[in-house]
């Protein structure tokens, strides 16, 4: 018979997110918060990013999932520290909150890390609503999801600084175009940088990795 | 400076969901609650279902979206009553709640309807947690999302009676198999009926439509 006071929880979360931002800044660590639907290709994006430039980026990873450690296990082949957060398994939280991020950061060797990649729970809706101390949100969307998603799920595209458009190798088999997707992205957030790529073929990965490098260097 | 009492809201929702269930039962209407990630193919599933059997099913539709009436517009070509619910546009609710369903039902001609299809907000997480008076939840997952999704988002697969596996025409271009997906579905919920299909080629649609007909007749 629990009665929650929602406002106090939210205030505490915002305060903690600010503390996380300050902690990361003091260590010179830049944090990306990756947001996308289940199966958008967030983990594969990390894999191709690390294949291209792990030594230079010196990444640390916080994997958010309702259940399983599958994503963290996929990253084991890299010499990269990974912390897995499970919010479930059943009826688990639909997004990562600052208290979980704060606990995960204690498990990362921040002195050896240049960038923290937070892979949020697969959900294009709720994670967009929560600031967890990141420097920027990155929205990840697969071409297989269709062109209309920026219009139908606008908040994630409004809150993000970059949009990665994944699985472009599937374009010949879909009634979807990158131009159409970009138009819909621009309708919601004209400032959003877009990176169409295929982690499978490698097309477009370099431009994305250059963007990441530029953010860390800055 | 709003302080919400969560428990009372949840109790009111459950009571209202029961009333919706009773209302639908009294009119002989069967309700499906479709749950899936953005771009899983929920609207296209409705289109192919209605192409196959709209006159027999006498469907009514409640379209749930954070923003836009795009999905409702796609269904205009059918002689089918459609009510669009928008929960947003920005920071909108991540799932449909019974109060929204109750209001939408007032706009549907229930005397002419055999089955109500509720297309929930595109989100594999939150809609699974809420009973809105439906007879059954149907989880919709695209093969492009990958084989591991039942394990990573178990609640939707636990709560559903049927899983529709969409976009199987893409299988030759993906490292994904229906057998692998079915194994993972069975690991979470061995009783879940699975319907692999392609709305694009029509493969598998008949088995799904037969399932729907069987539920309505029962």
């Amino acid at each position: 018979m629990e009665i929650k006071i929602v406002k106090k929880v939210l205030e505490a979360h915002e305060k903690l997110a600010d503390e996380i931002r300050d902690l990361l800044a003091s260590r010179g660590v830049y944090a990306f918060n990756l947001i996308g639907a289940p199966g958008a290709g967030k983990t594969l994006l990390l894999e191709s990013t690390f294949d291209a430039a792990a030594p230079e980026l010196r990444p640390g990873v916080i994997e958010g999932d309702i259940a399983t450690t599958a994503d963290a296990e996929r990253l084991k082949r890299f010499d990269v520290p990974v912390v897995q957060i499970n919010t479930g398994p059943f009826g688990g939280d639909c997004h990562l909150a600052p208290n979980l991020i704060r606990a995960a950061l204690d498990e990362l060797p921040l002195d050896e890390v240049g960038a923290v990649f937070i892979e949020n729970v697969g959900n294009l809706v709720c994670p967009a609503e929560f600031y967890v101390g990141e420097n920027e949100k990155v929205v990840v969307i697969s071409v297989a999801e269709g062109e209309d998603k920026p219009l139908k799920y606008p908040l994630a595209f409004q809150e993000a600084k970059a949009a990665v458009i994944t699985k472009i190798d599937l374009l010949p088999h879909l009634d979807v175009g990158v131009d159409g997707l970009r138009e819909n992205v621009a309708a919601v957030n004209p400032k959003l940088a877009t990176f169409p790529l295929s982690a499978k073929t490698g097309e477009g990965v370099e431009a994305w990795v250059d963007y990441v490098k530029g953010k860390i260097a800055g």
Side-chain angles (χ1 to χ4, degrees), chain A:
Chain A
M1 295 305 148
E2 184 185 14
I3 297 181
K4 289 183 187 166
I5 309 300
V6 173
K7 181 172 155 282
K8 281 197 181 171
V9 174
L10 292 180
E11 274 177 2
H13 278 192
E14 277 171 23
K15 187 165 170 286
L16 190 52
D18 287 342
E19 287 171 17
I20 290 169
R21 181 197 58 198
D22 294 345
L23 168 69
L24 292 173
S26 73
R27 302 296 188 95
V29 177
Y30 195 91
F32 297 91
N33 181 359
L34 270 60
I35 293 173
K42 296 181 291 302
T43 312
L44 195 56
L45 177 65
L46 291 182
E47 289 182 70
S48 50
T49 305
F50 299 165
D51 271 326
E56 191 173 343
L57 300 177
R58 296 181 298 121
V61 180
I62 299 174
E63 278 293 344
D65 281 295
I66 291 173
T68 83
T69 57
D71 288 352
E73 279 158 30
R74 283 170 61 183
L75 300 175
K76 269 190 184 165
R77 66 185 174 93
F78 299 100
D79 184 21
V80 161
V82 179
V83 179
Q84 174 81 52
I85 297 173
N86 280 158
T87 68
F90 294 112
D93 269 5
C94 52
H95 63 90
L96 293 177
N99 56 323
L100 297 173
I101 300 294
R102 187 65 193 79
L105 287 175
D106 280 339
E107 306 298 320
L108 285 179
L110 289 183
D111 291 339
E112 301 162 22
V113 165
V116 169
F117 293 85
I118 300 164
E119 183 180 336
N120 223 306
V121 175
N123 184 333
L124 194 52
V125 183
C126 313
E129 296 177 28
F130 294 88
Y131 171 56
V132 296
E134 73 274 7
N135 293 93
E136 68 175 84
K137 288 183 172 70
V138 174
V139 61
V140 182
I141 180 169
S142 142
V143 293
E145 294 170 38
E147 285 182 8
D148 57 353
K149 294 306 167 289
L151 305 176
K152 293 178 66 181
Y153 304 88
L155 188 66
F157 293 85
Q158 277 225 326
E159 293 291 321
K161 290 273 192 296
V164 177
I165 299 169
T166 64
K167 308 191 191 184
I168 60 170
D169 55 284
L170 292 177
L171 285 171
H173 317 294
L174 298 169
D175 300 321
V176 173
V178 167
D179 288 348
L181 249 173
R182 276 182 158 151
E183 269 175 40
N184 289 336
V185 166
V188 175
N189 182 355
K191 291 180 183 172
L192 198 59
T194 53
F195 298 95
L197 58 80
S198 165
K200 198 168 187 174
T201 68
E203 187 183 351
V205 171
E206 195 179 339
W208 157 249
V209 172
D210 284 346
Y211 172 82
V212 171
K213 287 181 188 171
K215 287 304 180 89
I216 295 173

